Amino acid sequence: MTARPHLHRSDIRPDTHPGIVHLALAVGGFAIGTTEFASMSLVPYFAPDLGIDIPTAGHVISAYALGVVFGAPLIAVLFARTPRRTLLVGLMALFALANGLSGLAPSYRWMLLFRFLSGVPHGAYFGVAMLVAASLVPFGQRTQAAARVLLGLTVATIVGVPLASWLGLAVGWRWGFGLVALLALLTALLVRIYAPHHAPGEGASPLKELGALKNRQVWLTLAIGAIGFGGLFAVYTYLANTLLEVTRVGPEVLPLVLAVFGIGMTLGNIVIPRFADRALMPTAGWLLVWSAAMLALYTLAAANIWTIMASVFAIGLGGALATTLQTRLMDVAGEAQTLAAALNHSAFNVANALGPFLGGLAIAAGFGLTSTGLVGSALALGGLAIWAVARAIADQKPDPRPDQR
């Protein structure tokens, strides 16, 4: 039997409005999404300024992802006794400082350090923010609440990334990171004002959080995300090159197609969580099936601008897997809620590394840019296989909420 999360509803003020809190938390997601994706588009601007070539500049992107993977579990364990609102404000303060310093970086080595530090709060922020968001709504609406926090990130792919890229072109790349720092400070202020005070659970401790690592279902859920979500990144990473070299469109079309991807992710996170709150694991399974099919079709759709836009939109819809698995972790993590929630974002950054790596191997082997769709489809099917194992184990030990198995 899985333990129900500690939601600490007694700490919630009667005048707390969930929508306002969710919006405040989503602003943080917007800031994180802007820096995570815009950093890639700012590479052509900061690389020559720092005296490095484009491949070396890619290490700056990797440093951020490494910070996410490293920081999420470490913060969750070390700050297990810290009230969630206090922790969120502190994480956004660190995020603001690190991004501000990124905009002031005098050299490549300093840039690497500052981007690593920028990634450290990422996973812990999303994990804790989603727990806070879920605690403010009825039990059957948790996935929708978590999705509202992630909406900030998906909207960033439509609005924040183009804005930061425009700043990089118009007034210099450093201002792109400065914008993110300001958004992070705004988040810290909004969270401090509107988020409820969540006292740590009774007996909360680092050892209890580490208890999540003994839970087989936690590891299986994380593996579903780390493998199954890698397909989306396999395609997204090489999408611009595919558009230029296969679809043969001009550079001015790239922002439009990337925005279509962001719109797909945004709509997916609005609509699909409603189904996930009714049937959590079945929805995760169908999302993986959908992703496998749409990623495979991407290979056929890449030659035409209209079909590739439709394909990219459909692939973006599958991004709702992130919030679906976040809720699954709430169900299976027992008393280790913070660590499990934070590790979810470490898992997705593993996917962010695995998908592009395997996609790059396929391209280097001579299979062409469109082969990333088949690589992505294989990864989604791999995630589906792990999902089947998790479901089979859950069926052996029935959950008291059968619709959540």
Side-chain angles (χ1 to χ4, degrees):
M1 179 181 297
T2 55
R4 182 164 174 165
H6 296 292
L7 302 182
H8 315 303
R9 292 184 180 273
S10 61
D11 297 318
I12 301 174
R13 300 190 310 268
D15 61 339
T16 297
H17 193 288
I20 295 176
V21 179
H22 291 167
L23 177 60
L25 297 171
V27 174
F30 184 84
I32 290 175
T34 297
T35 197
E36 183 175 22
F37 290 97
S39 296
M40 303 173 194
S41 64
L42 292 174
V43 165
Y45 306 125
F46 71 71
D49 198 25
L50 297 178
I52 55 177
D53 57 24
I54 298 300
T56 303
H59 299 162
V60 172
I61 310 301
S62 300
Y64 181 91
L66 184 62
V68 179
V69 174
F70 173 80
L74 183 67
I75 290 172
V77 171
L78 292 181
F79 295 92
R81 294 191 178 96
T82 304
R84 288 175 178 170
R85 183 178 66 186
T86 303
L87 181 56
L88 287 171
V89 171
L91 290 171
M92 274 294 106
L94 174 59
F95 192 72
L97 175 63
N99 277 279
L101 290 173
S102 297
L104 299 173
S107 68
Y108 166 63
R109 290 186 178 181
W110 280 109
M111 188 65 162
L112 276 181
L113 174 61
F114 295 149
R115 294 318 293 157
F116 175 83
L117 291 176
S118 296
V120 168
H122 176 134
Y125 176 82
F126 270 124
V128 175
M130 288 181 178
L131 290 175
V132 171
S135 74
L136 299 173
V137 299
F139 190 79
Q141 297 177 16
R142 293 170 303 150
T143 310
Q144 296 173 63
R148 292 185 192 112
V149 177
L150 198 63
L151 274 178
L153 185 147
T154 62
V155 171
T157 64
I158 305 171
V159 180
V161 174
L163 177 58
S165 300
W166 175 82
L167 281 173
L169 178 62
V171 294
W173 62 269
R174 298 180 186 274
W175 288 96
F177 292 109
L179 170 66
V180 172
L182 291 175
L183 288 170
L185 290 175
L186 175 61
T187 302
L189 178 62
L190 292 174
V191 170
R192 181 63 185 83
I193 294 173
Y194 294 111
H197 175 73
H198 278 180
E202 184 178 348
S205 70
L207 286 179
K208 276 195 174 182
E209 290 295 337
L210 288 171
L213 302 181
K214 300 178 182 178
N215 190 317
R216 181 168 51 180
Q217 283 290 355
V218 168
W219 283 110
L220 286 170
T221 304
L222 294 172
I224 293 171
I227 303 299
F229 213 66
L232 182 148
F233 290 111
V235 165
Y236 186 87
T237 301
Y238 302 101
L239 178 58
N241 297 86
T242 303
L243 288 165
L244 294 172
E245 299 177 32
V246 179
T247 318
R248 296 191 177 280
V249 298
E252 70 279 358
V253 178
L254 301 187
L256 174 62
V257 180
L258 294 175
V260 168
F261 172 83
I263 292 170
M265 285 195 70
T266 300
L267 290 179
N269 273 288
I270 292 173
V271 176
I272 294 173
R274 297 178 182 273
F275 296 96
D277 277 327
R278 296 188 183 97
L280 187 60
M281 281 297 274
T283 300
W286 280 113
L287 279 170
L288 288 163
V289 171
W290 170 269
S291 294
M294 294 304 105
L295 287 162
L297 289 174
Y298 171 84
T299 302
L300 302 175
N304 180 274
I305 182 59
W306 298 109
T307 54
I308 197 172
M309 286 176 69
S311 177
V312 165
F313 175 83
I315 292 170
L317 290 174
L321 180 66
T323 47
T324 303
L325 294 181
Q326 189 82 58
T327 306
R328 176 61 177 171
L329 285 169
M330 293 180 194
D331 285 341
V332 301
E335 296 180 327
Q337 290 290 306
T338 304
L339 178 58
L343 282 173
N344 192 39
H345 299 277
S346 292
F348 284 113
N349 271 270
V350 171
N352 195 4
L354 181 64
F357 173 72
L358 294 178
L361 288 180
I363 295 169
F367 293 106
L369 286 163
T370 59
S371 65
T372 56
L374 296 177
V375 170
S377 182
L379 286 169
L381 290 174
L384 183 64
I386 300 170
W387 172 90
V389 172
R391 188 71 188 272
I393 293 174
D395 286 341
Q396 293 172 5
K397 299 177 69 174
D399 193 298
R401 300 177 304 279
D403 63 318
Q404 301 297 318
R405 287 185 286 123

